[in-house]
Amino acid sequence: MAEENNQSTGGNDQAAGQQNQQQLQFALQRIYVKDISFEAPNSPAVFQQPFKPKVGLDLNTSSQQVGEGLYEVVVKVTAQVAHAESDSTSFLVEVEQAGLFRIGGLEGERLEHTLGAFCPNVLFPYARECIDSLVNRGGFPPLMLAPVNFEALYLQKKKRAAEGAAQQSGETTQ
């Protein structure tokens, strides 16, 4: 009898665990380029001097809900490469790499964390490859961007937001 009770309790625990797993849903639906741009404003003159690049990089992420449990996440990467000595622009490349993610069973902070850190980590390698391809097609040496820790960027953004909120609440009480 005791064995039967243990088995039935174990079965209920397994069923509850499976129900929780079924509620949590994460699936990548599609990866696509939302916007793409390449400019080499000083060509062909830029090819007539030694290539001494100075790279400026800007990285942003955004997300929005586009349907029931469906979210679009966008990683925007802008790289401006100038000649180190003359500071003239060699090229400017901009890519908005996007993805549609079906997410269920996550709410609040967990959902925000998934959209702000995990999803951009999935998309960034595609943005890197796209940028490298554009730069090569523009006649320049490869621009291999280093991997980005979106987890750390997300935590920094949350920390800055908390500090800003604390600072504003301090200003309003004074």
Side-chain angles (χ1 to χ4, degrees):
M1 189 94 167
E3 287 178 2
E4 288 176 17
N5 287 342
N6 286 342
Q7 287 176 353
S8 66
T9 304
N12 288 340
D13 288 344
Q14 283 180 340
Q18 287 174 350
Q19 187 178 18
N20 287 340
Q21 281 183 332
Q22 290 170 355
Q23 290 176 348
L24 182 61
Q25 179 184 14
F26 181 88
L28 176 60
Q29 301 292 302
R30 183 170 305 269
I31 294 176
Y32 54 97
V33 174
K34 190 166 180 131
D35 189 21
I36 194 167
S37 172
F38 179 85
E39 300 171 30
N42 294 311
S43 60
V46 70
F47 299 120
Q48 297 171 346
Q49 57 190 357
F51 189 61
K52 297 179 182 177
K54 178 176 76 174
V55 180
L57 188 65
D58 187 30
L59 182 66
N60 291 305
T61 63
S62 63
S63 62
Q64 66 176 344
Q65 187 169 5
V66 295
E68 182 67 32
L70 191 62
Y71 299 86
E72 179 189 55
V73 178
V74 179
V75 174
K76 181 178 179 180
V77 183
T78 304
Q80 182 169 359
V81 176
H83 190 275
E85 294 170 0
S86 68
D87 211 31
S88 63
T89 299
S90 299
F91 64 85
L92 174 70
V93 63
E94 182 177 279
V95 170
E96 288 186 21
Q97 189 71 52
L100 284 177
F101 295 87
R102 181 153 309 277
I103 302 172
L106 292 178
E107 294 179 4
E109 178 65 32
R110 289 180 66 201
L111 177 61
E112 187 180 317
H113 182 261
T114 299
L115 295 172
F118 185 76
C119 294
N121 272 325
V122 171
L123 295 173
F124 188 70
Y126 294 92
R128 286 177 60 194
E129 187 279 327
C130 191
I131 286 173
D132 185 49
S133 176
L134 285 170
V135 170
N136 280 330
R137 290 173 187 221
F140 294 93
L143 179 64
M144 293 300 298
L145 300 177
V148 173
N149 184 345
F150 285 96
E151 182 76 27
L153 292 176
Y154 173 78
L155 293 174
Q156 286 175 356
K157 181 179 177 182
K158 294 292 285 181
K159 184 179 176 182
R160 282 193 306 268
E163 288 171 353
Q167 194 174 49
Q168 274 203 331
S169 66
E171 288 174 6
T172 56
T173 59
Q174 291 176 353

